[in-house]
Amino acid sequence: QSALTQPASVSGSPGQSITISCTGTSNDIGVYNYVSWYQQYPGKAPKLLIYEVNNRPSGVSNRFSGSKSGNTASLTISGLRAEDESDYYCISYTSTTTLYVFGTGTKVTVL
Amino acid sequence: EVQLLESGGGLVQRGGSLRLSCADSGLTFSTYAMSWVRQAPGKGLEWISTISASGGNTYYADSVRGRFTISRDNSENTLSLQMNSLRAEDTAIYFCASTLRYCIGGGCYSSPGAFDIWGQGTMVTVSA
């Protein structure tokens, strides 16, 4: 099972919106709505931002939103802030020999 | 609230074994599916294993299946990962994490892949 494909980097200016894509296959994102997104600062544990494609856990800012179309899931960060500069990962449930597969990760830079 | 603390990491020779533990200081450990996720230095996240709340079902990534064993002791609120036949590519920070549970319409559900509580991680280094 190969990792889900994310862009290596995405950048934006403060206040702008950016979108991070996460491309999988018909074995994972294409058939299951079990896509989550995580934010990770260097040296820290990941933090859950989105679960089941477009749901936010309690306490997560509504500037973060998720969506899915076909084999691709997306995370949108609205009103970009300096504190959003971090690494972001998607994960999906999969029907292959493994259970879950993470994305390759995206580094977000705030210009 | 679930609080997780990993231990057991360290330096081990290739082919050796190590046992990681993850202690939960909360009161409802037995209701959560638990997982291990690792991150090699400078690399991305890799899911490696999950165990159901009861311990009756276990799942592994292809990269560790047959070498690693996940287990839990719900009476001690502890999750474990027995790692055998270690390889250089197993060098990573190992995180334990619990799966998000939510209740709706009178029922409670786990959300697959939604790891809402994480430990701080424990470093495993496999020397060649």
Side-chain angles (χ1 to χ4, degrees), chain A residues 7 12 20 28 43 54 56 64 80 82 88:
Chain A
I20 302 168
D28 38 68
N54 57 10
R56 281 185 306 275
F64 297 95
L80 200 61
Y88 294 83

Side-chain angles (χ1 to χ4, degrees), chain B residues 62-120:
Chain B
D62 292 344
S63 58
V64 305
R65 186 177 295 113
R67 300 187 299 123
F68 290 12
T69 302
I70 191 172
S71 61
R72 65 190 298 160
D73 184 338
N74 285 343
S75 66
E76 297 288 333
N77 286 6
T78 300
L79 173 74
S80 297
L81 185 69
Q82 178 66 41
M83 304 185 296
N84 298 329
S85 302
L86 283 163
R87 306 167 180 169
E89 55 264 36
D90 295 319
T91 294
I93 298 172
Y94 285 72
F95 297 98
C96 62
S98 64
T99 300
L100 174 74
R101 277 176 58 85
Y102 61 91
C103 298
I104 186 172
C108 292
Y109 309 91
S110 291
S111 181
F115 308 133
D116 61 335
I117 305 295
W118 294 69
Q120 85 291 348

